[in-house]
């Protein structure tokens, strides 16, 4: 399915919700250290409920390790500073949906990484800073999955 990549996530419940998202959609969740919490954190566990065993979650020591493991063909970096909408892409299984840490998002250095295929944004009203990380990942994964006809869903 799709691969969700959280770079240096800081807020435990967002990652817990992403674990649940991965379990419910068949996506993989990849986390790049440093994490702003321990994976055993009660807030991560509570947000993920009993989905931890059903989710494919990998923690990588750094972004280079993630790139080696993912061997991505296409990486879509989500940023409020992009000009293309996330709905403007024809997603393919295996695509990497990349999100930055809360509250800063992906740095300019990360956005310049040659592994990134395109930069995308989720629309919102003017004068707003950003969407919640877990909500953003959910929007992106469900749009990508919708384009695949919700393959495997009931």
């Amino acid at each position: 399915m799709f691969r969700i990549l959280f770079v240096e996530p800081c807020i435990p419940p967002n990652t817990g919700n992403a674990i649940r998202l991965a379990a419910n959609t068949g996506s993989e969740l990849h986390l790049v250290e440093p994490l702003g919490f321990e994976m055993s954190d009660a807030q991560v566990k509570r947000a993920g409920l009993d989905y931890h065993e059903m989710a494919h979650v990998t923690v990588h020591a750094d972004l280079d390790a993630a790139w080696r493991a993912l061997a991505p063909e296409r990486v879509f970096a989500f940023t409020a500073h992009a000009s293309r909408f996330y709905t403007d892409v024809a997603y393919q299984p295996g695509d990497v949906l990349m999100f930055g840490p809360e509250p800063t998002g992906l740095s300019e250095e990360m956005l310049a990484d040659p592994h990134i295929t395109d930069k995308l944004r989720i629309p919102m009203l003017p004068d707003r800073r950003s969407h919640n990380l877990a909500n953003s990942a959910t929007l992106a994964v469900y749009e990508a999955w919708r384009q695949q006809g919700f393959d495997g869903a009931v």
Side-chain angles (χ1 to χ4, degrees), residues 2-78:
F2 301 98
R3 298 179 284 176
I4 306 160
L5 176 60
F6 280 5
V7 179
E8 301 174 8
C10 300
I11 300 175
N14 280 333
T15 297
N17 286 329
I19 290 169
R20 195 171 181 170
L21 171 66
N24 284 329
T25 62
S27 299
E28 298 175 4
L29 177 61
H30 294 265
L31 307 172
V32 175
E33 294 181 324
L35 308 180
F37 51 85
E38 297 291 324
M39 285 299 288
S40 60
D41 189 305
Q43 292 178 323
V44 174
K45 297 288 186 187
R46 186 175 21 231
L49 294 175
D50 56 349
Y51 289 87
H52 292 262
E53 296 79 31
M54 293 182 260
H56 181 273
V57 180
T58 305
V59 178
H60 303 281
D62 55 34
L63 192 53
D64 286 335
W67 293 143
R68 285 190 300 276
L70 293 167
E73 292 183 28
R74 298 185 343 152
V75 177
F76 297 100
F78 286 74

Side-chain angles (χ1 to χ4, degrees), residues 48-146:
L49 294 175
D50 56 349
Y51 289 87
H52 292 262
E53 296 79 31
M54 293 182 260
H56 181 273
V57 180
T58 305
V59 178
H60 303 281
D62 55 34
L63 192 53
D64 286 335
W67 293 143
R68 285 190 300 276
L70 293 167
E73 292 183 28
R74 298 185 343 152
V75 177
F76 297 100
F78 286 74
T79 173
H81 307 290
S83 57
R84 281 177 36 111
F85 289 133
Y86 76 109
T87 52
D88 293 338
V89 172
Y91 296 98
Q92 301 169 6
D95 283 348
V96 176
L97 310 174
M98 179 182 187
F99 300 86
E102 318 94 322
T104 60
L106 295 166
S107 69
E108 289 300 319
E109 179 183 342
M110 288 180 199
L111 289 169
D113 190 301
H115 291 95
I116 293 174
T117 303
D118 203 352
K119 297 171 199 135
L120 305 174
R121 70 183 176 100
I122 298 169
M124 60 186 160
L125 294 175
D127 302 319
R128 277 39 172 210
R129 189 174 39 120
S130 65
H131 289 281
N132 170 277
L133 177 61
N135 292 345
S136 295
T138 299
L139 286 167
V141 168
Y142 270 86
E143 171 60 17
W145 196 21
R146 181 195 67 78

